[in-house]
Amino acid sequence: MQISKASSDLIYWQNVLFNKWSIKAELKELAGEYDLNFSARCRSGKRFILKVMRADCPEWLVDAQIQAIRHVHEQIENAPIPKFVVSSAGAGFELIDDQFGNPRLVWVLEEIIGQCYADSAPKSEQLAHAVGEAMAKLAKALCSFENKHLDRDFKWNLMQGGWIAEKLHIIEELSRRNIVSSILKDFQEIKSKLLDLDQQIIHNDANDYNILVKGTGAEKRTLSGIIDFGDMCLSPRICDLAIAAAYIVLDHSKPQQILTALVKGYHKTSPLMPQELDLIWRLLRMRLAVSLVNSNALATKRSYDPYITISQEPAWRFLEGTKISEALINARLRAACDMPVKSGADRIMAWLDQKRGTFA
């Protein structure tokens, strides 16, 4: 009986998992932009994630993730992030040749059970509030974590998002290109304000596929975990919150309401400053712009890979269909966090929103 290439690959990495970690499990490949990721399920019910890094991945990147994960677990009891599993040799990761003789960094995490936020329903304010709280706790824990390599030039560092200026031509439709161009202009206007903020190591990728939710049927949906530390970098903490916000609002019937719940949850756990709140809306939109330009660029090379374009249409629907006053958004977020708003008109609107418990 002939074995398919996909099955052969799974068998190869199953043997690696058993030989190097003494874990016998069946593997299922997961989506990823650069690396190979497998869900490993044991007959005992235990579940792990086997991560096989791209061939040119530097050791510091894996080591930084392992050290950050260890640090967060030391800071937060029962932290909602995965734990890494040392190999049989006691190492955090192993250097292993793949089927073609290419050396690959391989490591293992305990799997957190849950459905990704993108596929979960309903997406309640209570759940968004919990995500905000968890993001704040994670940022507080990472505030005391240091790693020189994470002060890096990196396309996903929102502070460095200006790189998309040279790639705008990739967006063929003029109206969409103009939207992204406008977002970039707004971002450049707040760059000096961002540079005035303290920087720390942040998770930097709390998108709706890296936030896990538990609860099925009539059960209440609760946060079960935040995964994937591969995009960590040095940046103001408000960028972390804005990135989560960018995906929380997608395809939600009340985006302003769900955004406010997220921000309130964060502020309750780690108080924000007014100048940070006033940056969220532009940073949120900038993250979506960076994601759209990046996915369009990659799609020209890997059009067969649905992972690359998975958030494109929800992002366009939000940017094209959401007509919201930035001043009013800022006023609403300030009012929700019990901060003074900037003008009488905005103060009245924010008060009305609080009274009726919803947003137009």
Side-chain angles (χ1 to χ4, degrees):
M1 180 178 178
Q2 188 174 6
I3 299 175
S4 68
K5 180 182 181 301
S7 297
S8 176
D9 289 346
L10 291 177
I11 291 171
Y12 184 89
W13 293 113
Q14 280 178 192
N15 290 336
V16 167
L17 182 61
F18 179 72
N19 293 334
K20 294 295 184 178
W21 277 268
S22 299
I23 297 173
K24 188 173 184 179
E26 291 188 3
L27 300 189
K28 178 182 178 181
E29 189 169 357
L30 304 172
E33 184 177 351
Y34 297 115
D35 310 310
L36 291 175
N37 296 283
F38 301 95
S39 174
R41 301 191 180 190
C42 306
R43 288 187 177 181
S44 65
K46 290 185 177 181
R47 296 166 64 162
F48 303 90
I49 298 294
L50 174 67
K51 299 183 72 67
V52 181
M53 310 305 287
R54 56 192 177 278
D56 60 347
C57 178
E59 287 193 11
W60 68 257
L61 181 56
V62 176
D63 185 64
Q65 292 178 72
I66 290 172
Q67 297 303 324
I69 288 169
R70 176 188 286 124
H71 181 85
V72 172
H73 278 292
E74 289 173 350
Q75 298 293 312
I76 306 173
E77 186 177 1
N78 299 319
I81 66 168
K83 294 179 178 179
F84 70 91
V85 181
V86 297
S87 68
S88 300
F93 60 87
E94 296 282 352
L95 185 63
I96 299 169
D97 287 346
D98 64 18
Q99 307 93 306
F100 311 103
N102 301 310
R104 308 283 285 266
L105 298 173
V106 183
W107 55 306
V108 176
L109 295 163
E110 294 180 0
E111 183 174 356
I112 293 178
I113 306 303
Q115 184 180 38
C116 63
Y117 184 92
D119 296 333
S120 178
K123 295 178 172 64
S124 67
E125 291 177 70
Q126 184 180 40
L127 178 58
H129 192 279
V131 172
E133 290 182 317
M135 290 299 301
K137 290 177 182 177
L138 181 56
K140 286 174 70 174
L142 287 173
C143 185
S144 55
F145 177 66
E146 296 181 356
N147 187 295
K148 64 180 182 180
H149 296 290
L150 297 179
D151 183 6
R152 52 175 171 159
D153 292 326
F154 184 46
K155 71 178 180 180
W156 291 115
N157 184 339
L158 204 48
M159 292 282 285
Q160 300 168 6
W163 66 265
I164 68 172
E166 298 179 356
K167 300 287 186 179
L168 292 180
H169 64 275
I170 291 174
I171 302 174
E172 296 181 358
E173 190 172 334
L174 181 59
S175 62
R176 289 184 165 183
R177 193 188 315 151
N178 287 339
I179 289 173
V180 174
S181 180
S182 176
I183 291 171
L184 178 59
K185 179 177 179 292
D186 287 344
F187 171 74
Q188 298 292 5
E189 289 177 358
I190 63 168
K191 191 69 180 291
S192 61
K193 295 179 181 178
L194 281 169
L195 292 171
D196 287 339
L197 298 176
D198 291 338
Q199 298 190 49
Q200 63 163 83
I201 303 302
I202 62 171
H203 177 276
N204 198 48
D205 195 23
N207 67 54
D208 46 356
Y209 287 86
N210 286 338
I211 297 171
L212 302 181
V213 177
K214 60 184 177 182
T216 59
E219 296 175 344
K220 183 176 72 173
R221 303 303 189 267
T222 58
L223 177 79
S224 61
I226 299 172
I227 61 173
D228 195 349
F229 284 67
D231 283 356
M232 286 187 300
C233 66
L234 188 70
S235 194
R237 63 172 182 166
I238 199 61
C239 290
D240 217 18
L241 177 56
I243 289 167
Y247 298 94
I248 286 285
V249 299
L250 295 185
D251 281 342
H252 200 280
S253 60
K254 297 179 179 178
Q256 298 179 64
Q257 188 170 346
I258 208 73
L259 170 62
T260 301
L262 173 77
V263 173
K264 284 180 69 174
Y266 193 104
H267 181 72
K268 175 185 175 182
T269 305
S270 183
L272 295 159
M273 299 181 294
Q275 58 267 41
E276 291 177 301
L277 282 177
D278 292 345
L279 298 174
I280 291 174
W281 183 244
R282 293 196 186 190
L283 289 172
L284 177 165
R285 286 164 57 83
M286 186 60 182
R287 169 63 183 213
L288 293 178
V290 169
S291 179
L292 288 167
V293 172
N294 180 71
S295 60
N296 272 272
L298 291 179
T300 61
K301 303 175 183 177
R302 294 160 58 186
S303 58
Y304 59 87
D305 189 347
Y307 177 80
I308 292 172
T309 57
I310 199 164
S311 293
Q312 270 201 29
E313 287 312 311
W316 282 126
R317 282 194 292 271
F318 178 78
L319 294 177
E320 293 175 318
T322 308
K323 308 300 181 185
I324 302 172
S325 161
E326 179 185 0
L328 190 54
I329 277 285
N330 291 345
R332 287 166 170 168
L333 293 180
R334 282 182 173 230
C337 296
D338 296 320
M339 295 180 187
V341 295
K342 290 184 175 180
S343 73
D346 288 341
R347 188 178 298 112
I348 292 171
M349 288 301 297
W351 177 81
L352 287 173
D353 286 334
Q354 287 186 317
K355 291 291 286 183
R356 64 175 175 258
T358 188
F359 291 104

